[in-house]
Amino acid sequence: MREGNANAVGCDGKERDMNATTHSAAKTSTGLLSIVFVALVGATVLFLAGHAQSATLHDAAHDMRHATGFPCH
Amino acid sequence: MIQRMLAGGLIAGFAAGLLAALLHFAFIQELILVGEDYETGALVHFSDAGAEADHNHAAGEAAHDHGTGDAGEMPLSRNMLTVLFTGLTYAGYGLLLVAAFAFAGQLGHKVGAQEGILWGLAGYAAFQLAPSMGLPPELPGSVAADLTDRQIWYFGTVIATGVALALFAFGRGFIPALVAGMLIAAPHVIGAPHLDEYYGVAPPEVAGEFVARALGVGFVAWAVLGWLAGRFWAKEPV
Protein backbone atom coordinates (compact mmCIF):
# COMPACT_ATOMS: atom_id res chain seq x y z
CA MET A 1 0.00 0.00 0.00
CA ARG A 2 2.74 2.40 0.96
CA GLU A 3 4.72 1.49 -2.16
CA GLY A 4 1.64 2.11 -4.26
CA ASN A 5 1.34 5.60 -2.85
CA ALA A 6 4.98 6.31 -3.41
CA ASN A 7 4.63 5.43 -7.06
CA ALA A 8 1.44 7.37 -7.64
CA VAL A 9 1.56 10.01 -10.34
CA GLY A 10 3.00 13.26 -9.10
CA CYS A 11 4.84 11.70 -6.18
CA ASP A 12 7.87 10.30 -7.95
CA GLY A 13 10.05 13.38 -7.64
CA LYS A 14 9.33 14.58 -11.17
CA GLU A 15 6.74 16.99 -9.85
CA ARG A 16 9.62 19.11 -8.69
CA ASP A 17 10.87 19.41 -12.29
CA MET A 18 7.38 20.30 -13.40
CA ASN A 19 7.14 22.97 -10.76
CA ALA A 20 10.51 24.28 -11.78
CA THR A 21 9.48 24.46 -15.43
CA THR A 22 6.20 26.19 -14.62
CA HIS A 23 8.01 28.56 -12.32
CA SER A 24 10.57 29.56 -14.92
CA ALA A 25 7.91 29.99 -17.60
CA ALA A 26 5.99 32.25 -15.22
CA LYS A 27 9.18 34.17 -14.48
CA THR A 28 9.83 34.70 -18.19
CA SER A 29 6.34 35.98 -18.85
CA THR A 30 6.50 38.28 -15.81
CA GLY A 31 9.82 39.46 -17.20
CA LEU A 32 8.31 40.16 -20.60
CA LEU A 33 5.40 41.99 -18.99
CA SER A 34 7.81 44.16 -16.99
CA ILE A 35 9.80 44.88 -20.14
CA VAL A 36 6.69 45.91 -22.05
CA PHE A 37 5.54 48.02 -19.10
CA VAL A 38 8.86 49.88 -18.77
CA ALA A 39 9.09 50.38 -22.53
CA LEU A 40 5.56 51.83 -22.55
CA VAL A 41 6.38 54.20 -19.68
CA GLY A 42 9.51 55.30 -21.56
CA ALA A 43 7.62 55.80 -24.81
CA THR A 44 4.88 57.77 -23.04
CA VAL A 45 7.36 60.08 -21.30
CA LEU A 46 9.17 60.57 -24.62
CA PHE A 47 5.95 61.30 -26.47
CA LEU A 48 4.68 63.80 -23.89
CA ALA A 49 8.00 65.61 -23.62
CA GLY A 50 8.93 65.51 -27.27
CA HIS A 51 5.93 65.11 -29.52
CA ALA A 52 2.59 65.95 -27.89
CA GLN A 53 1.10 69.02 -29.55
CA SER A 54 -0.60 70.62 -26.54
CA ALA A 55 0.32 74.30 -26.68
CA THR A 56 1.60 74.35 -23.09
CA LEU A 57 3.82 71.32 -23.57
CA HIS A 58 5.00 72.64 -26.91
CA ASP A 59 6.01 76.03 -25.52
CA ALA A 60 7.70 74.55 -22.47
CA ALA A 61 9.64 71.97 -24.45
CA HIS A 62 10.25 74.23 -27.45
CA ASP A 63 14.03 74.70 -27.32
CA MET A 64 14.67 71.03 -26.49
CA ARG A 65 12.44 69.87 -29.35
CA HIS A 66 14.37 71.98 -31.83
CA ALA A 67 17.74 70.91 -30.43
CA THR A 68 16.85 67.21 -30.42
CA GLY A 69 15.64 67.32 -34.00
CA PHE A 70 12.05 66.36 -33.17
CA PRO A 71 9.52 67.58 -35.70
CA CYS A 72 8.23 70.80 -34.09
CA HIS A 73 5.45 73.27 -35.10
CA MET B 1 13.02 43.44 -12.23
CA ILE B 2 10.68 46.40 -12.73
CA GLN B 3 12.32 48.46 -9.99
CA ARG B 4 15.73 47.68 -11.37
CA MET B 5 14.72 48.77 -14.86
CA LEU B 6 12.90 51.91 -13.69
CA ALA B 7 15.73 52.98 -11.37
CA GLY B 8 18.52 52.30 -13.88
CA GLY B 9 16.70 53.87 -16.80
CA LEU B 10 15.61 56.97 -14.90
CA ILE B 11 18.95 57.66 -13.18
CA ALA B 12 20.99 57.12 -16.35
CA GLY B 13 18.42 59.08 -18.35
CA PHE B 14 18.30 62.13 -16.10
CA ALA B 15 22.10 62.17 -15.76
CA ALA B 16 22.57 62.02 -19.53
CA GLY B 17 19.79 64.59 -19.92
CA LEU B 18 21.57 66.95 -17.55
CA LEU B 19 24.75 66.62 -19.60
CA ALA B 20 22.75 67.17 -22.79
CA ALA B 21 21.23 70.31 -21.25
CA LEU B 22 24.68 71.64 -20.28
CA LEU B 23 25.93 71.03 -23.82
CA HIS B 24 22.72 72.60 -25.13
CA PHE B 25 23.53 75.87 -23.38
CA ALA B 26 27.18 75.69 -24.36
CA PHE B 27 26.58 75.09 -28.07
CA ILE B 28 22.97 75.34 -29.20
CA GLN B 29 20.89 77.91 -27.31
CA GLU B 30 22.66 80.96 -28.76
CA LEU B 31 21.90 79.72 -32.27
CA ILE B 32 18.22 79.16 -31.39
CA LEU B 33 18.03 82.75 -30.17
CA VAL B 34 19.68 84.03 -33.36
CA GLY B 35 17.24 81.92 -35.41
CA GLU B 36 14.33 83.42 -33.49
CA ASP B 37 15.58 86.91 -34.14
CA TYR B 38 15.33 86.14 -37.85
CA GLU B 39 11.99 84.39 -37.34
CA THR B 40 10.46 87.41 -35.61
CA GLY B 41 12.07 89.88 -37.97
CA ALA B 42 14.35 91.44 -35.35
CA LEU B 43 17.11 90.42 -37.73
CA VAL B 44 16.75 90.28 -41.49
CA HIS B 45 18.97 88.14 -43.65
CA PHE B 46 20.39 90.22 -46.50
CA SER B 47 19.01 88.02 -49.26
CA ASP B 48 15.52 88.84 -47.98
CA ALA B 49 16.44 92.48 -47.91
CA GLY B 50 17.47 92.20 -51.54
CA ALA B 51 14.05 90.87 -52.43
CA GLU B 52 12.33 93.66 -50.56
CA ALA B 53 14.41 96.72 -51.25
CA ASP B 54 12.47 98.77 -48.68
CA HIS B 55 13.91 96.73 -45.85
CA ASN B 56 17.45 96.91 -47.09
CA HIS B 57 18.51 99.34 -44.39
CA ALA B 58 17.18 97.12 -41.59
CA ALA B 59 19.68 94.36 -42.20
CA GLY B 60 22.82 96.23 -41.21
CA GLU B 61 21.25 97.98 -38.25
CA ALA B 62 19.56 94.99 -36.73
CA ALA B 63 22.66 92.85 -37.05
CA HIS B 64 24.22 94.71 -34.16
CA ASP B 65 21.53 94.35 -31.55
CA HIS B 66 20.50 90.75 -31.77
CA GLY B 67 21.12 90.26 -28.06
CA THR B 68 18.11 92.36 -27.20
CA GLY B 69 15.43 90.46 -29.12
CA ASP B 70 12.32 89.44 -27.19
CA ALA B 71 13.59 85.87 -27.29
CA GLY B 72 15.61 86.85 -24.25
CA GLU B 73 12.56 87.61 -22.14
CA MET B 74 12.17 85.42 -19.04
CA PRO B 75 15.28 83.44 -19.94
CA LEU B 76 15.52 81.77 -16.52
CA SER B 77 12.16 80.00 -16.54
CA ARG B 78 12.55 79.26 -20.23
CA ASN B 79 15.95 77.68 -19.63
CA MET B 80 14.77 75.78 -16.56
CA LEU B 81 12.02 74.25 -18.71
CA THR B 82 14.62 73.30 -21.31
CA VAL B 83 16.65 71.51 -18.61
CA LEU B 84 13.52 69.77 -17.29
CA PHE B 85 12.30 68.61 -20.69
CA THR B 86 15.75 67.55 -21.84
CA GLY B 87 15.94 65.45 -18.67
CA LEU B 88 12.50 63.97 -19.35
CA THR B 89 13.36 63.17 -22.94
CA TYR B 90 16.54 61.34 -21.98
CA ALA B 91 14.67 59.61 -19.13
CA GLY B 92 12.31 58.28 -21.80
CA TYR B 93 15.29 57.18 -23.87
CA GLY B 94 16.83 55.59 -20.77
CA LEU B 95 13.71 53.58 -19.97
CA LEU B 96 13.46 52.33 -23.56
CA LEU B 97 17.15 51.44 -23.47
CA VAL B 98 16.98 49.37 -20.27
CA ALA B 99 13.81 47.68 -21.54
CA ALA B 100 15.86 46.67 -24.58
CA PHE B 101 18.72 45.51 -22.30
CA ALA B 102 16.25 43.34 -20.38
CA PHE B 103 14.79 41.90 -23.57
CA ALA B 104 18.29 41.11 -24.87
CA GLY B 105 18.98 39.49 -21.49
CA GLN B 106 15.98 37.21 -21.97
CA LEU B 107 17.51 36.13 -25.27
CA GLY B 108 20.85 35.45 -23.59
CA HIS B 109 22.79 38.63 -24.42
CA LYS B 110 24.49 40.29 -21.48
CA VAL B 111 24.87 44.04 -21.40
CA GLY B 112 27.51 45.91 -19.41
CA ALA B 113 29.06 49.36 -19.69
CA GLN B 114 31.02 48.52 -22.87
CA GLU B 115 28.05 47.04 -24.69
CA GLY B 116 25.98 49.89 -23.29
CA ILE B 117 28.00 52.46 -25.27
CA LEU B 118 27.27 50.56 -28.48
CA TRP B 119 23.58 50.33 -27.56
CA GLY B 120 23.58 54.06 -26.84
CA LEU B 121 25.16 54.88 -30.19
CA ALA B 122 22.63 52.61 -31.92
CA GLY B 123 19.87 54.54 -30.13
CA TYR B 124 21.45 57.78 -31.31
CA ALA B 125 21.49 56.48 -34.89
CA ALA B 126 17.85 55.40 -34.68
CA PHE B 127 16.42 58.41 -32.83
CA GLN B 128 18.55 61.24 -34.16
CA LEU B 129 21.03 60.52 -36.93
CA ALA B 130 18.83 58.60 -39.39
CA PRO B 131 15.78 60.89 -39.00
CA SER B 132 18.08 63.91 -39.42
CA MET B 133 19.02 62.76 -42.90
CA GLY B 134 15.44 63.40 -43.99
CA LEU B 135 14.31 65.95 -41.43
CA PRO B 136 17.35 67.85 -40.16
CA PRO B 137 16.91 69.60 -36.80
CA GLU B 138 15.04 72.81 -37.56
CA LEU B 139 16.49 76.14 -36.59
CA PRO B 140 13.65 78.44 -35.51
CA GLY B 141 12.78 80.41 -38.61
CA SER B 142 12.79 77.33 -40.82
CA VAL B 143 9.54 76.48 -42.55
CA ALA B 144 8.73 72.79 -42.99
CA ALA B 145 6.04 70.47 -44.31
CA ASP B 146 2.88 69.41 -42.45
CA LEU B 147 3.68 68.39 -38.87
CA THR B 148 1.68 65.15 -38.81
CA ASP B 149 3.35 63.93 -42.01
CA ARG B 150 6.75 64.70 -40.53
CA GLN B 151 5.93 62.95 -37.26
CA ILE B 152 4.79 59.82 -39.11
CA TRP B 153 7.98 59.78 -41.18
CA TYR B 154 10.06 60.45 -38.06
CA PHE B 155 8.59 57.57 -36.04
CA GLY B 156 8.67 55.24 -39.04
CA THR B 157 12.35 56.01 -39.52
CA VAL B 158 13.14 55.50 -35.81
CA ILE B 159 11.44 52.09 -35.77
CA ALA B 160 12.85 50.92 -39.11
CA THR B 161 16.39 51.98 -38.19
CA GLY B 162 16.17 50.48 -34.70
CA VAL B 163 14.89 47.12 -35.95
CA ALA B 164 17.50 47.13 -38.73
CA LEU B 165 20.37 47.72 -36.29
CA ALA B 166 19.09 44.92 -34.03
CA LEU B 167 18.96 42.60 -37.06
CA PHE B 168 22.52 43.57 -38.04
CA ALA B 169 23.76 43.00 -34.50
CA PHE B 170 21.89 39.83 -33.56
CA GLY B 171 20.71 38.25 -36.82
CA ARG B 172 22.57 35.27 -38.23
CA GLY B 173 23.24 34.80 -41.90
CA PHE B 174 22.58 36.74 -45.04
CA ILE B 175 18.80 37.16 -44.96
CA PRO B 176 18.58 39.22 -41.72
CA ALA B 177 21.38 41.48 -42.98
CA LEU B 178 19.57 41.94 -46.29
CA VAL B 179 16.30 42.78 -44.53
CA ALA B 180 18.19 45.14 -42.22
CA GLY B 181 19.74 46.95 -45.18
CA MET B 182 16.36 47.35 -46.82
CA LEU B 183 14.82 48.62 -43.57
CA ILE B 184 17.55 51.22 -43.10
CA ALA B 185 17.18 52.42 -46.67
CA ALA B 186 13.36 52.35 -46.90
CA PRO B 187 12.51 55.67 -45.16
CA HIS B 188 15.06 57.49 -47.32
CA VAL B 189 13.84 55.82 -50.52
CA ILE B 190 10.29 56.84 -49.60
CA GLY B 191 11.60 60.28 -48.72
CA ALA B 192 10.74 62.65 -45.89
CA PRO B 193 7.92 65.15 -46.41
CA HIS B 194 9.31 68.41 -47.80
CA LEU B 195 7.87 71.60 -49.18
CA ASP B 196 8.34 72.36 -52.86
CA GLU B 197 10.15 75.59 -52.13
CA TYR B 198 12.39 77.00 -49.42
CA TYR B 199 10.91 79.58 -47.10
CA GLY B 200 13.53 79.76 -44.36
CA VAL B 201 14.41 83.26 -43.21
CA ALA B 202 17.61 82.47 -41.28
CA PRO B 203 21.05 82.39 -42.94
CA PRO B 204 22.21 78.92 -44.05
CA GLU B 205 25.43 79.39 -42.04
CA VAL B 206 23.44 79.56 -38.79
CA ALA B 207 21.20 76.63 -39.76
CA GLY B 208 24.19 74.48 -40.75
CA GLU B 209 26.02 75.19 -37.52
CA PHE B 210 22.84 74.49 -35.54
CA VAL B 211 22.32 71.08 -37.17
CA ALA B 212 25.94 70.00 -36.73
CA ARG B 213 25.92 71.03 -33.08
CA ALA B 214 22.55 69.38 -32.40
CA LEU B 215 23.86 66.10 -33.82
CA GLY B 216 27.14 66.41 -31.92
CA VAL B 217 25.41 67.04 -28.58
CA GLY B 218 23.08 64.10 -29.21
CA PHE B 219 26.05 61.86 -30.01
CA VAL B 220 27.78 62.63 -26.72
CA ALA B 221 24.62 62.44 -24.61
CA TRP B 222 23.54 59.11 -26.10
CA ALA B 223 27.00 57.58 -25.65
CA VAL B 224 26.99 58.63 -21.98
CA LEU B 225 23.39 57.42 -21.59
CA GLY B 226 24.30 53.97 -22.96
CA TRP B 227 27.42 53.76 -20.84
CA LEU B 228 25.63 54.75 -17.62
CA ALA B 229 22.62 52.53 -18.28
CA GLY B 230 24.94 49.61 -19.09
CA ARG B 231 26.87 50.18 -15.86
CA PHE B 232 23.72 50.20 -13.75
CA TRP B 233 22.38 47.20 -15.61
CA ALA B 234 25.54 45.13 -15.08
CA LYS B 235 25.75 45.92 -11.36
CA GLU B 236 23.15 43.37 -10.36
CA PRO B 237 22.90 39.85 -11.80
CA VAL B 238 19.87 39.15 -13.99
Side-chain angles (χ1 to χ4, degrees), chain B residues 163-233:
Chain B
V163 171
L165 290 175
L167 280 174
F168 270 131
F170 300 114
R172 293 204 184 96
F174 178 67
I175 300 293
L178 183 70
V179 174
M182 285 162 58
L183 274 174
I184 283 204
H188 307 284
V189 173
I190 295 169
H194 280 295
L195 296 174
D196 295 334
E197 289 180 52
Y198 302 109
Y199 297 96
V201 292
E205 293 92 332
V206 183
E209 203 171 8
F210 172 78
V211 171
R213 289 181 177 191
L215 289 176
V217 168
F219 179 87
V220 174
W222 266 102
V224 169
L225 172 66
W227 179 72
L228 280 176
R231 270 186 81 95
F232 287 131
W233 191 247

Side-chain angles (χ1 to χ4, degrees), chain A residues 63-64 67-68, chain B residues 13-30 32 78-90 217-218 220-222:
Chain A
D63 293 355
M64 178 282 290
T68 321
Chain B
F14 275 115
L18 207 59
L19 174 68
L22 280 176
L23 294 173
H24 174 99
F25 291 112
F27 289 104
I28 297 177
Q29 187 66 19
E30 50 175 324
I32 290 184
R78 174 178 177 163
N79 291 343
M80 290 307 287
L81 284 170
T82 298
V83 174
L84 174 68
F85 276 90
T86 306
L88 282 172
T89 299
Y90 277 87
V217 168
V220 174
W222 266 102

Side-chain angles (χ1 to χ4, degrees), chain A residues 5-70:
Chain A
N5 276 345
N7 290 329
V9 177
C11 299
D12 52 2
K14 284 184 183 161
E15 75 276 8
R16 261 169 274 155
D17 295 342
M18 283 174 64
N19 279 345
T21 314
T22 322
H23 183 65
S24 107
K27 204 177 165 190
T28 307
S29 70
T30 327
L32 277 179
L33 270 181
S34 321
I35 290 170
V36 170
F37 173 76
V38 172
L40 280 178
V41 173
T44 308
V45 171
L46 193 58
F47 179 81
L48 288 177
H51 303 278
Q53 282 308 307
S54 118
T56 320
L57 277 176
H58 169 273
D59 292 349
H62 175 267
D63 293 355
M64 178 282 290
R65 289 183 178 190
H66 275 278
T68 321
F70 293 150

